[in-house]
Structure formats: C-alpha cells, structure tokens
Amino acid sequence: MAMRSERHPPLKPAVLFLLVSLAAGEKHGYALRKDVVSRSGGRVRLGPATLYRTLAFLLEDGAIEESGRRPVPELDDERRRYYRLTDRGRRMLRSEVARLEQLAASARAILVQRGKA
C-alpha cells in the first residue's frame, strides 16, 4: 500500500479534472473547460461559476498559480489568465490518484470474489 505524503479529503470531480488538465500543461479558463469535457468524455462540464470558484480555491490553497507566460502574445487576448500546477498541486493529484487506484483495486477484488460465489 502506498503511503500518502499529504492528507486531504477526497477531491471533488471539478478539482480533480482541473488538476489533471493542468498536469498536462498551462491553460487559460476556456481551454480548461474544453479539456475537462474532452477528458471526461462529456460527462463533466464546468460552468463558468464552478470553474472560476474552483480555480480561486486552488489558487488560495497553493495547488495552482497564475502564469505570466503567453504562448503567442500577439495572437492572445491579454485579458486571459493562464494557470499552472504547483508542486503542491502535483502532490495532491498523485495522492488522489493513489487513493482512487486503491479503491478500484478493492472494488475489483470484491467483484471477483462475489463473481465466484
């Protein structure tokens, strides 16, 4: 069993999907919304209020930070705010993935055991 380096309650789906999206690279709000829909197969859609409330929470918690970099400044809207994962956010994501893997393994074992009965 993997030991958790940081204890936290299970992450809400919006938090988890945003951390996963940002683990893949820096993004602005609209790009995050699109990426979450894509990664979830359309099952998770973050409205603007949920998205920006969750981003504010993650910023305050130190899991993400604003990035001053612009991919192509002359083609980018200067009002966009880009976000990136911090080391703390990466640890949170690793911890949550380990928790979910442990839960999935336990559920699989139960299903296999019950299937033989």
Side-chain angles (χ1 to χ4, degrees), residues 10 13 18 30-31 41-42 45-46 54 65 67 77 90 103-104:
L18 289 174
Y30 184 67
R45 294 180 184 276
L46 302 177
T54 305
E65 62 189 6
S67 170
D77 184 336
R90 197 168 307 283
L103 177 61

Side-chain angles (χ1 to χ4, degrees), residues 52-67:
Y52 289 104
R53 186 173 42 249
T54 305
L55 288 172
F57 164 78
L58 291 169
L59 283 164
E60 184 177 316
D61 192 48
I64 65 171
E65 62 189 6
E66 277 192 55
S67 170

Side-chain angles (χ1 to χ4, degrees), residues 12-94:
K12 293 180 179 181
V15 171
L16 178 58
F17 275 100
L18 289 174
L19 292 179
V20 169
S21 183
L22 288 170
E26 297 180 12
K27 292 176 187 65
H28 56 79
Y30 184 67
L32 285 165
R33 285 181 72 192
K34 288 177 26 181
D35 190 61
V36 167
V37 169
S38 175
R39 287 180 190 281
S40 71
R43 291 183 305 271
V44 177
R45 294 180 184 276
L46 302 177
T50 300
L51 172 68
Y52 289 104
R53 186 173 42 249
T54 305
L55 288 172
F57 164 78
L58 291 169
L59 283 164
E60 184 177 316
D61 192 48
I64 65 171
E65 62 189 6
E66 277 192 55
S67 170
R69 295 184 4 194
R70 300 274 179 210
V72 184
E74 57 277 359
L75 299 177
D76 192 35
D77 184 336
E78 64 190 33
R79 296 170 293 179
R80 282 187 179 152
R81 296 166 71 182
Y82 284 78
Y83 303 94
R84 67 176 159 229
L85 205 56
T86 63
D87 289 340
R88 174 173 166 69
R90 197 168 307 283
R91 287 191 308 271
M92 287 173 63
L93 180 56
R94 280 191 191 114

